[in-house]
Amino acid sequence: MDPCVIGRERGNADSVANGTSLTGAHKSQEGRHEHNKQITHSMPPEKVEMFESLQGWAEAHVLPFLKPVEKCWQPQDFLPEPSSADFLDEVRELRARTADIPDDYLMCVIGDMITEEALPTYQTMINTLDGVRDESGASPSPWARWTRAWTAEENRHGDLLNKYLYLTGRVDMRAVEKTIQYLIGAGMVSFVFS
Ligand SMILES: [Fe+2]
């Protein structure tokens, strides 16, 4: 799943506090328990119980979709090899190939890359969710293993796009890097599973 498909509203805690008191605990219409505009439970107990009861199903039917690392492509498969004597020539070829790419296209790739690079935010968001969160950071539960493996798989995407754009010489990388830092620092509020 691409991070782009996760519904979100970044950095706006007010948006999840419909009807909440500023000072007291509150149970929203969707069943989320909120306190001082902070969500303390992402879903009602019956939904938590449902996700916990599905652990066996997730083990048998979800985890098998994870591709072994050794069979996955890696960013380096698509980039000039820095240990090669031909590295600089390969970079020059890459820059020649990308010199005439319209700015509009590059903007799309930059937007994709920034979204991918905010991956820590998505993992954090997933781990706010009752019933599926990674309780220890290395939980053996199938939901937690899926989240970690999905994050690890996704991590390649930003790496590749970042390095590729860097090598083109067409992008103000410092501006992009600042945007990524702002984005991750802002966090996001999710409505997933509400
Ligand atoms: Fe991705």
Side-chain angles (χ1 to χ4, degrees):
M1 177 172 63
D2 193 281
C4 299
V5 304
I6 299 173
R8 61 188 180 275
E9 185 158 349
R10 296 185 185 100
N12 184 4
D14 289 341
S15 65
V16 295
N18 297 327
T20 55
S21 158
L22 284 173
T23 55
H26 175 86
K27 182 178 179 181
S28 70
Q29 288 183 333
E30 295 81 10
R32 292 188 299 264
H33 292 260
E34 300 161 359
H35 183 77
N36 291 341
K37 293 194 172 185
Q38 296 294 315
I39 296 173
T40 56
H41 297 287
S42 64
M43 63 181 75
E46 60 270 23
K47 285 190 179 179
V48 176
E49 188 178 343
M50 181 187 75
F51 276 100
E52 288 177 347
S53 74
L54 285 171
Q55 287 202 19
W57 175 84
E59 181 85 40
H61 300 288
V62 177
L63 292 184
F65 284 109
L66 293 173
K67 199 171 176 181
V69 172
E70 296 302 325
K71 293 186 177 180
C72 288
W73 61 262
Q74 297 298 330
Q76 190 53 51
D77 297 338
F78 301 98
L79 295 164
E81 172 53 52
S83 65
S84 166
D86 297 328
F87 175 67
L88 294 178
D89 289 335
E90 291 178 12
V91 171
R92 271 189 281 272
E93 286 175 21
L94 186 153
R95 290 167 77 99
R97 284 201 312 273
T98 57
D100 296 325
I101 293 177
D103 286 351
D104 291 353
Y105 292 10
L106 283 177
M107 284 303 298
C108 289
V109 180
I110 291 167
D112 289 344
M113 185 262 275
I114 290 172
T115 305
E116 299 283 1
E117 293 280 48
L119 189 57
T121 299
Y122 313 131
Q123 188 174 22
T124 298
M125 180 276 295
I126 292 170
N127 283 329
T128 67
L129 300 173
D130 296 332
V132 298
R133 71 165 56 89
D134 188 341
E135 297 284 355
S136 69
S139 166
S141 92
W143 298 122
R145 284 154 55 204
W146 172 269
T147 297
R148 292 197 303 272
W150 174 82
T151 302
E153 188 272 339
E154 283 287 337
N155 188 57
R156 304 168 307 152
H157 305 173
D159 279 358
L160 174 57
L161 293 173
N162 193 319
K163 289 172 181 169
Y164 182 84
L165 288 170
Y166 169 80
L167 290 173
T168 67
R170 297 283 311 279
V171 177
D172 181 345
M173 291 303 293
R174 193 172 197 283
V176 169
E177 289 159 351
K178 278 173 58 182
T179 300
I180 293 168
Q181 187 172 357
Y182 276 124
L183 180 61
I184 295 174
M188 75 176 186
V189 174
S190 170
F191 295 95
V192 176
F193 299 142
S194 63

